[in-house]
Amino acid sequence: MDGPTDAMMDGGPMDGGPLDSTTMPGDSSVVQMGDGILLRGVVLTPTGPLDPGEVFVMGDTIVCVAADCSAEVGAMDATIIETGGVISPGLIDAHNHLPYDFLPEWVPSPPMLFDNRYTWADDPDYEAHIEPYTAHRSTGTHYCPGAKWGELRALIHGTTTIMGQSLRQGCIDRLVRNADHYHGLGHDHMRTTISSPRDITDSDADSYVADFTAATEPVTRLAVHMGEGVSGSNIELEFSSFAGRDTRTNRHAGISLLAAMDGSYRGTGYLIHGVALTDAELMEVASTDAKIVWSPSSNMVLYGQTADIGRILELGITVGLGPDWTLSGEDEMLSEMRFALGWASAEGVSAVTPEALWRMATVDGAEVVGLSSEIGTLEVGKRADITVFGRVGADPYRAVAESTASDVRLVLIDGEAYYGDLAFEMSAAVNGDCDMIDACGTPKFVCLANTPGSDSRASESLEDVRTQLYNILEGIGYPPEEQYGRGDELLELIDCP
Ligand SMILES: [Zn+2]
């Protein structure tokens, strides 16, 4: 059967830029149903596109990526899906603050740019904006629906792994994979701190190094906000503190957290933003194989500047991409990719191509978050975290970046579909409890209730989570001083033009 919605695919220009990829993707259809899933379309592999290509999934694992997988045992008995589109690894969001992502953008009054992240965080306007959440941020009543809403938006826009669950609450174990906890890919390998790297003490550093060098289950990524801003508030000391060169009293001088002298724990550094880093510091990032996460939309909104991404790429630093959060950045990875393309075009940064952004969002993003042995590429043996984009064009990477929620035809995590065209629900959905959602005129299924994991709020529907967030913003069920009356500010999952 043909997908029911091709004629309804939205094709409006996004963010003011012309679309280069066609708005008329090929037909999609389920050819037959069986065990395993065989996807046909343009396949994006680490070495380039396969066109046409096939990806065959059995259970949670990719077992074939080739122009033709028909000789693979079981392939001809599998569910066969002609996607008519581009088959990519699921996107990896390398930096976010998920539980805030039901709140709309914060616009300071009067509109202004800030010097660094320490200045806006104390702004009374900002504190008022986030108050419905922060009044109870560490409780499940507020954290859980906020984080789930953020994960659902990520999923709907093709993201299968996201970083940014700073509290270990089982309610997010799990929908999309959480890079920092609950990823289902081995031990918790990442430490994340929201506190400033310029406040690291010697004892903090000792604790981190002990984790890096632990005999069992070592920490292999330490994620910090580094150089987020332009100047002021001792932001220029952040890198030297992290590298063990801060001579102030009660700060860290000694062993570097980027790498030991003998090279051990090299590659653990996970530096978010990096706007204020000097060229010498970027060279030290490169020499220690530390990673950088680029968040151009949030940086430009808050500071009017972003990291020197041209130089960062020239140095061969592994870069991930992340929109940061809905308060200042784009709402999800696809919009962030389009923002980055527009910014790079305006600034003449030729290294930021659709393919470079796709790499940041997949293969390199997996390396940044420390999970590249399991996810980030379409390769035999990898987990079947796969997104199918309906948009097509001469440049399939541009087609990915130009996709919106209506163009996302199918999202698989561990070989099970969590979002996609209704035509694929019966053959691929993770369970029978999925909800329907309108993606700007295109009906889709999205799965939340009773999905795998140990979620104590497992039976919630999309509407249940939405109601919890509406009530938080409105103040329904909370004391009089928390009657905010702001329910209409709830940020919807899909932003239609
Ligand atoms: Zn951040």
Side-chain angles (χ1 to χ4, degrees), residues 95 97 225 273 324:
H95 180 53
H97 300 270
H225 285 63
H273 298 301
D324 202 353

Side-chain angles (χ1 to χ4, degrees), residues 290-302:
K291 286 60 175 172
I292 286 181
V293 179
W294 189 35
S295 296
S297 66
S298 177
N299 295 160
M300 293 305 293
V301 163
L302 291 170

Side-chain angles (χ1 to χ4, degrees), residues 180-250:
D180 22 16
H181 309 291
Y182 305 114
H183 47 61
L185 301 172
H187 77 277
D188 280 352
H189 68 292
M190 190 187 299
R191 276 186 71 173
T192 309
T193 175
I194 194 66
S195 56
S196 171
R198 66 167 166 39
D199 295 334
I200 292 170
T201 64
D202 288 342
S203 74
D204 294 334
D206 289 345
S207 158
Y208 289 131
V209 170
D211 284 352
F212 299 156
T213 55
T216 57
E217 304 196 339
V219 165
T220 59
R221 292 292 181 275
L222 172 57
V224 294
H225 285 63
M226 175 64 74
E228 185 187 353
V230 182
S231 63
S233 308
N234 284 333
I235 196 171
E236 71 283 359
L237 294 177
E238 291 182 345
F239 190 84
S240 50
S241 293
F242 200 78
R245 294 191 294 267
D246 190 340
T247 55
R248 293 174 300 160
T249 309
N250 289 329

